[in-house]
Amino acid sequence: MDDKRSDPPRAPASINSWKLLTNQENITNDILSCPYAGSGTQDSPYIVKWMPSDPVDPISYPKWRKWCITLIMALSTLAITFASSSLGAADPQLEKHFSASTTLVTADVSLFVLAFAVGPAIWGPLSELYGRQYIFAATFFGVTVLSSATVVSNSIGTLLVLRFITAALGSSVITNAAGVIGDVWLPHERGLACGFLAQNAGWRWVAGLIALLSGVCWILGLFLVPETYAPLLLRRRAAKLSAMTGRVYKSQLERMGSPKSSRTLFYTNIVRPWVFLAREPIVLVCSIYIAIIYGTLYLSFAAFPIVFAKKRGWDQGISGLAFIGIAVGQVLGMVYAIVDTSRYKRIAARSPGGRAPPEAWLAPSGVAGVALPVGLFWFAWTNGNNIHWIVCLIGIAPFGFGQVLIFLSISQYLLDAYGIYSASALAANAAVRALFGAAFHLFSGPLYERLGIHWGSSIPAFLTLFCLPVPFLFHRFGHKIRLRCHFSSEAMRVTQELNKKTSFNSDAPTLAEQQEA
């Protein structure tokens, strides 16, 4: 028996997909009999870590499951983002149907985006406390129900309230989707038209499409996405092992930190995103930078109808096609990001432990930082009637290119730099950018009325020009800054601890010995 127990632990038996979905405490005989380090006492508890090729460890999922989860998270993010602006394409129909003012109808998009500032600050931290799976299931069920209720709204007030609550619930996916993708993929693996509808079918069809898309995402997530937050899964495994054996088991992170009550943890996790904005300069500056870009994107939702419908006389459906310029740039940005993955892999291959520093993600943001003001200034001074419309549409493409690259680079950077606190960092980021998005969209009309289409479009261009040094500074000095910040340095320490080779105790009792005791 001694010779047998000196061997490294074998990989536990596979667990079927249904059990992964419905049980977050999956315990097999292999997991129960694993020789964990420790003595099983309060002073020296067994330390629960992932076993080699552990089927519950999200990093060990087969590729097909990882891609399935990734696509569902991407579709869910698309659904809530689509919902934020798609009903804006039906503004003329809403004004006519409810006899509402233009300002009140325009406020719909601003209120929807404003709710993005409220939701992530709650759902992101709660996912760190209770896991991603339950948060997604509960919030997207609410999104589906409320989006369906929006279709039968009988007043503009009811519609605005329902849309605000829908956005607050749906914003859970804004932070948690990135967290889920970070849970299942290793860092080097992550790289990899309503205007016509509103014009011809009416605003209720747009609202119905939102409800349908939300419902599809909820059903797919409910039946295909298990819990992926590793600290929670290990914590529940340790608790289950303790209950089954009568001995003391603690997860690796529990052992590293002092125990806290659920009330303390809840308060800490809810407050933490705002603490990040006050005490973590990386989170604050990155959030403001992305917020300016995000605000500019929502500014375009109001600016394009002014530039192309009012100034050029295009009808509602045709003016919506102007967003193709941004879309083309975004596709090119995604292609660039995929190609850039090979550069990141090379850096990771020559880095200690095969893990590149978080700053390695920021290289594409330097290219994007230059593309943003170039595209915005180009659009600002070529959008007049005296210049062919294709020129300004080509000009706005670099903005779409830069917007995608900045979003991807900084999101990956925050994900790696803050590790176990990444949901809180991304929640803080989402809150700031939502505030900017709501404000930019709401004030776009008065801005263009007072400054005109040239100078009005130049304001965000000057802001992105002012922020141009940000990615270069963080790429060069980010590591030193992280060492001086409390949460980023703590996340660095925890990540290093979790990346250590899993150790087991050959003297730990076997399953039979535990049951006999």
Side-chain angles (χ1 to χ4, degrees):
M1 179 176 290
D2 289 338
D3 292 339
K4 182 179 180 181
R5 283 165 54 188
S6 64
D7 294 335
R10 63 180 182 179
S14 61
I15 298 173
N16 65 54
S17 299
W18 183 248
K19 285 187 176 180
L20 282 178
L21 279 171
T22 58
N23 187 1
Q24 297 180 2
E25 303 172 339
N26 286 289
I27 302 293
T28 64
N29 286 337
D30 296 321
I31 293 172
L32 184 61
S33 60
C34 177
Y36 298 104
S39 303
T41 64
Q42 285 291 346
D43 294 331
S44 179
Y46 292 131
I47 304 303
V48 178
K49 300 182 179 181
W50 294 125
M51 299 173 66
S53 302
D54 197 311
V56 184
D57 181 6
I59 291 295
S60 299
Y61 286 171
K63 285 292 178 66
W64 68 265
R65 179 173 288 146
K66 291 185 178 185
W67 278 114
C68 180
I69 292 171
T70 300
L71 291 173
I72 291 172
M73 290 297 103
L75 181 62
S76 302
T77 304
L78 173 64
I80 200 65
T81 305
F82 171 78
S84 71
S85 58
S86 57
L87 203 57
D91 280 356
Q93 285 72 31
L94 289 170
E95 291 177 29
K96 182 178 180 181
H97 183 85
F98 292 119
S99 299
S101 66
T102 301
T103 303
L104 190 59
V105 171
T106 303
D108 166 63
V109 174
S110 294
L111 284 172
F112 199 100
V113 178
L114 184 63
F116 286 172
V118 178
I122 298 174
W123 308 123
L126 282 180
S127 74
E128 294 175 351
L129 190 57
Y130 298 110
R132 329 268 197 208
Q133 185 184 25
Y134 295 155
I135 298 297
F136 177 87
T139 56
F140 249 75
F141 174 74
V143 169
T144 303
V145 172
L146 293 177
S147 296
S148 301
T150 301
V151 179
V152 294
S153 298
N154 55 12
S155 70
I156 188 65
T158 301
L159 184 141
L160 294 177
V161 170
L162 289 174
R163 292 264 295 162
F164 181 85
I165 301 174
T166 299
L169 292 172
S171 62
S172 65
V173 77
I174 293 176
T175 52
N176 288 348
V180 169
I181 291 172
D183 292 338
V184 301
W185 294 102
L186 292 169
H188 67 271
E189 297 175 320
R190 295 190 214 130
L192 279 171
C194 289
F196 283 116
L197 181 61
Q199 184 178 6
N200 297 304
W203 70 271
R204 294 190 190 276
W205 281 94
V206 179
L209 180 59
I210 294 171
L212 177 62
L213 187 56
S214 302
V216 169
C217 293
W218 175 66
I219 292 171
L220 290 174
L222 192 64
F223 289 102
L224 295 175
V225 181
E227 179 55 57
T228 61
Y229 190 47
L232 177 80
L233 292 171
L234 286 172
R235 190 165 68 241
R236 292 190 171 169
R237 175 180 289 186
K240 184 68 173 179
L241 287 169
S242 297
M244 292 176 68
T245 65
R247 295 174 179 269
V248 181
Y249 290 78
K250 288 187 180 293
S251 70
Q252 191 173 7
L253 288 181
E254 285 180 304
R255 182 60 175 166
M256 292 168 59
S258 57
K260 298 178 182 179
S261 66
S262 297
R263 182 176 180 179
T264 301
L265 286 171
F266 180 81
Y267 176 78
T268 300
N269 281 279
I270 292 297
V271 172
R272 186 182 290 152
W274 309 105
V275 175
F276 273 30
L277 292 174
R279 296 180 55 186
E280 300 288 320
I282 290 176
V283 175
L284 177 63
V285 175
C286 287
S287 297
I288 292 175
Y289 190 21
I290 282 189
I292 290 173
I293 301 169
Y294 193 74
T296 302
L297 183 63
Y298 275 89
L299 178 71
S300 70
F301 295 152
F304 278 24
I306 295 173
V307 171
F308 295 104
K310 290 187 178 180
K311 298 295 182 180
R312 292 184 180 268
W314 295 7
D315 66 28
Q316 185 183 355
I318 294 296
S319 65
L321 293 177
F323 289 98
I324 289 177
I326 294 180
V328 170
Q330 291 173 331
V331 171
L332 293 175
M334 287 186 284
V335 171
Y336 185 98
I338 293 171
V339 173
D340 184 70
T341 302
S342 60
R343 176 198 60 82
Y344 182 88
K345 288 182 178 179
R346 289 194 299 271
I347 296 175
R350 59 175 183 262
S351 299
R355 191 182 185 95
E359 287 72 27
W361 289 113
L362 294 177
S365 64
V367 178
V370 175
L372 288 170
V374 169
L376 290 173
F377 277 121
W378 186 339
F379 173 78
W381 296 98
T382 61
N383 59 13
N385 291 344
N386 58 326
I387 300 177
H388 195 278
W389 57 266
I390 194 65
V391 178
C392 66
L393 287 191
I394 294 174
I396 200 62
F399 168 74
F401 173 84
Q403 176 249 322
V404 163
L405 278 184
I406 290 289
F407 272 47
L408 290 176
S409 298
I410 291 183
S411 295
Q412 297 276 26
Y413 178 52
L414 293 177
L415 201 61
D416 275 11
Y418 286 91
I420 60 170
Y421 303 122
S422 61
S424 292
L426 292 172
N429 179 277
V432 175
R433 76 172 186 242
L435 292 172
F436 274 62
F440 275 47
H441 181 82
L442 191 61
F443 300 137
S444 57
L447 177 71
Y448 276 84
E449 287 178 7
R450 295 185 180 184
L451 299 180
I453 59 175
H454 298 315
W455 285 107
S457 300
S458 296
I459 297 298
F462 280 114
L463 291 175
T464 56
L465 184 62
F466 177 76
C467 294
L468 179 59
V470 169
F472 295 98
L473 291 175
F474 280 140
H475 186 262
R476 177 68 179 83
F477 302 107
H479 180 73
K480 294 180 180 179
I481 297 172
R482 286 189 292 116
L483 288 174
R484 294 175 178 271
C485 298
H486 171 71
F487 286 101
S488 56
S489 60
E490 174 68 10
M492 194 185 309
R493 182 183 70 83
V494 171
T495 300
Q496 290 172 349
E497 182 68 24
L498 290 175
N499 286 338
K500 288 181 180 178
K501 186 177 180 180
T502 302
S503 60
F504 295 93
N505 182 7
S506 60
D507 295 326
T510 63
L511 172 62
E513 291 170 339
Q514 290 180 18
Q515 292 175 336
E516 183 180 349

